[in-house]
Amino acid sequence: MENKKELRTWLDKLNLDHPLVVAGPCSAETEEQVLTIAHELKDTDVNYFRAGIWKPRTRPGNFEGIGALGLKWLQKVKEETGLKTATEVANRAHVELALEHDIDMLWIGARSTVSPFIVQEIAEALKGTDKPVLIKNPVNPDLALWLGAVERLYTADIKNLGVIHRGFSTYDKSKYRNNPEWQLPIELQNRFPDLPLILDPSHIAGNRDLIFDISQTALDLNYDGLMIETHHNPDKAWSDAAQQVTPESLIRIMKDLKIRKETTPEAEYTLAINNLRAQIDVVDNQIIDLLGKRMIVADGIGKLKKSNNVSVLQTKRWNEILGKMVLEGQEKGLSEEFVLKMFKVIHQESINHQEKIFKSNGR
Ligand code: PEP
Ligand code: MN
């Protein structure tokens, strides 16, 4: 980790021998809560203490943050524990107050990244700051919006930038609160290889039991850091209760995560192969996901054919699909033999699905 890059970015310059760790509650609730958690995180690998002061809530009527008063509590955290501090800013007034209170790192939330007007306002308010600013991915899986926000901040001469991957909302049922869509941050990292990439497993998971696994995948993909919501009494938290971990669990998670920091040639190989394998895992999951979706569509076709009394097997249509896919496959370096074999089994599975529908009761 340490020798992975030259000392080019603000993060490299911190010279950490482990990925950056940002931890603290979803929301600052009371002075006592903030200080209790901060003291439990002191003398651990945690580098920045996070707490939301202004909370963007999807529906009104939920706790919307303690406001500027919380900035004083964060100052106290720094005085008492030496931990650097971080909070979310969502407009010009937030930026001005956070800078006045010397908050060390700021982030732009997922609901702000979707709005070029807001991102522009924040960028102008931050103009020229040398504090690290992290941009969370937009709520929806739109890489262009995320890239656009990065470009707006770079253009405002904010040099110490980073991005946070917090997952993307979806209507599909999923075990995640926000789908990771790993291919999007990987693509962003390809475009901006020097931009530190930090994972927020808490908002991806929505549930504390998934945090370890998601974090390990990110480290295998060479992420530069983690932001994990941590609360001394998670079940009683005023926001995001199900996904917060205790400081004790956080320490356990950090201890158990495999962080590859050795620099021997062998370790470099391990790092490289793990990175590639993690990328393969991401793609394999996408393949299964897509095949699942294909079968749902096949079920729909089955129902339609049944109600119109049309036969399952449509040879002409099938030969057309095969011909098209062989050509597409050639362009992607896939042999004709492979494409034909693969589509034969996919087709068989679709027919099985449709047969099942034909044999089920009802029209
Ligand atoms: C948060 O970090 O508490 C938060 C509101 O996150 P997001 O912008 O990712 O929803
Ligand atoms: Mn939260």
Side-chain angles (χ1 to χ4, degrees):
M1 197 73 200
E2 208 173 1
N3 292 326
K4 200 179 78 176
K5 295 171 182 168
E6 293 164 49
L7 297 185
R8 278 192 296 228
T9 70
W10 59 274
L11 182 50
D12 299 329
K13 287 178 194 144
L14 294 180
N15 241 322
L16 305 175
D17 62 357
H18 58 80
L20 182 83
V21 183
V22 184
C26 177
S27 306
E29 298 163 6
T30 64
E31 179 170 345
E32 197 197 350
Q33 170 245 16
V34 165
L35 289 170
T36 303
I37 301 167
H39 276 279
E40 290 186 32
L41 296 176
K42 188 181 145 191
D43 302 327
T44 68
D45 280 345
V46 172
N47 306 107
Y48 282 84
F49 181 83
R50 67 150 280 158
I53 300 293
W54 300 282
K55 298 304 299 177
R57 305 314 299 273
T58 303
R59 310 273 310 269
N62 293 316
F63 175 57
E64 298 205 318
I66 201 72
L69 173 62
L71 296 169
K72 299 233 167 12
W73 305 342
L74 287 180
Q75 284 184 307
K76 229 169 177 176
V77 164
K78 191 155 43 171
E79 275 161 34
E80 291 189 13
T81 67
L83 286 167
K84 292 194 196 115
T85 55
T87 200
E88 174 178 348
V89 287
N91 60 35
R92 172 177 292 280
H94 295 167
V95 170
E96 285 167 0
L97 282 162
L99 293 178
E100 259 168 44
H101 288 79
D102 200 25
I103 302 300
D104 300 292
M105 181 163 79
L106 308 173
W107 80 83
I108 298 180
R111 289 164 194 77
S112 301
T113 309
V114 293
S115 163
F117 285 134
I118 279 294
V119 172
Q120 189 61 35
E121 176 178 321
I122 295 172
E124 280 163 22
L126 281 166
K127 214 174 182 76
T129 184
D130 57 7
K131 292 189 189 282
V133 179
L134 307 180
I135 307 164
K136 285 200 172 197
N137 66 254
V139 177
N140 53 324
D142 183 341
L143 182 63
L145 269 178
W146 203 2
L147 290 170
V150 171
E151 287 158 359
R152 282 178 199 280
L153 273 95
Y154 269 138
T155 307
D157 201 24
I158 297 152
K159 295 186 187 76
N160 296 328
L161 281 184
V163 288
I164 302 178
H165 172 210
R166 53 77 82 196
F168 301 86
S169 69
T170 166
Y171 275 117
D172 292 342
K173 226 171 81 205
S174 147
K175 66 175 174 176
Y176 302 110
R177 176 178 176 193
N178 291 292
N179 260 351
E181 312 278 4
W182 294 100
Q183 73 283 5
L184 290 174
I186 290 171
E187 178 63 31
L188 186 119
Q189 204 179 30
N190 287 340
R191 307 261 192 110
F192 290 102
D194 285 339
L195 202 56
L197 172 58
I198 290 158
L199 176 83
D200 169 351
S202 309
H203 290 87
I204 291 178
N207 168 348
R208 62 184 71 98
D209 297 340
L210 297 173
I211 287 183
F212 178 83
D213 271 357
I214 304 170
S215 302
Q216 188 61 63
T217 300
L219 295 186
D220 292 340
L221 286 167
N222 247 348
Y223 276 45
D224 301 289
L226 300 169
M227 177 191 265
I228 301 184
E229 286 189 341
T230 311
H231 194 291
H232 66 300
N233 192 356
D235 289 329
K236 292 272 151 56
W238 296 3
S239 58
D240 290 351
Q243 71 194 29
Q244 303 205 54
V245 296
T246 59
E248 204 188 351
S249 321
L250 178 77
I251 291 164
R252 180 87 247 154
I253 289 171
M254 291 192 295
K255 199 156 163 274
D256 291 347
L257 283 172
K258 288 196 192 71
I259 299 161
R260 300 164 219 286
K261 57 186 170 189
E262 303 94 317
T263 52
T264 63
E266 216 174 297
E268 266 171 36
Y269 163 79
T270 314
L271 191 71
I273 194 86
N274 281 325
N275 182 319
L276 291 170
R277 284 184 177 147
Q279 292 194 39
I280 286 270
D281 287 349
V282 168
V283 175
D284 284 346
N285 277 324
Q286 288 177 315
I287 293 176
I288 289 289
D289 197 46
L290 282 174
L291 287 174
K293 285 188 179 140
R294 193 186 194 284
M295 293 311 149
I296 292 173
V297 177
D299 287 345
I301 293 180
K303 282 185 195 139
L304 193 66
K305 285 179 182 165
K306 184 180 179 185
S307 62
N308 287 279
N309 212 17
V310 172
S311 71
V312 165
L313 191 60
Q314 299 281 321
T315 315
K316 184 162 165 275
R317 157 90 179 134
W318 175 237
N319 284 332
E320 276 168 19
I321 296 183
L322 273 186
K324 249 189 358 214
M325 288 303 114
V326 166
L327 287 179
E328 296 254 344
Q330 267 168 4
E331 273 177 32
K332 307 264 185 230
L334 305 174
S335 71
E336 178 169 346
E337 188 196 354
F338 170 70
V339 173
L340 289 176
K341 261 194 196 151
M342 178 181 65
F343 270 95
K344 230 176 171 163
V345 288
I346 292 177
H347 188 226
Q348 189 55 54
E349 182 71 4
S350 285
I351 290 181
N352 295 347
H353 268 248
Q354 297 186 29
E355 280 289 328
K356 221 163 134 192
I357 286 175
F358 267 59
K359 291 188 179 127
S360 66
N361 292 328
R363 285 184 51 84

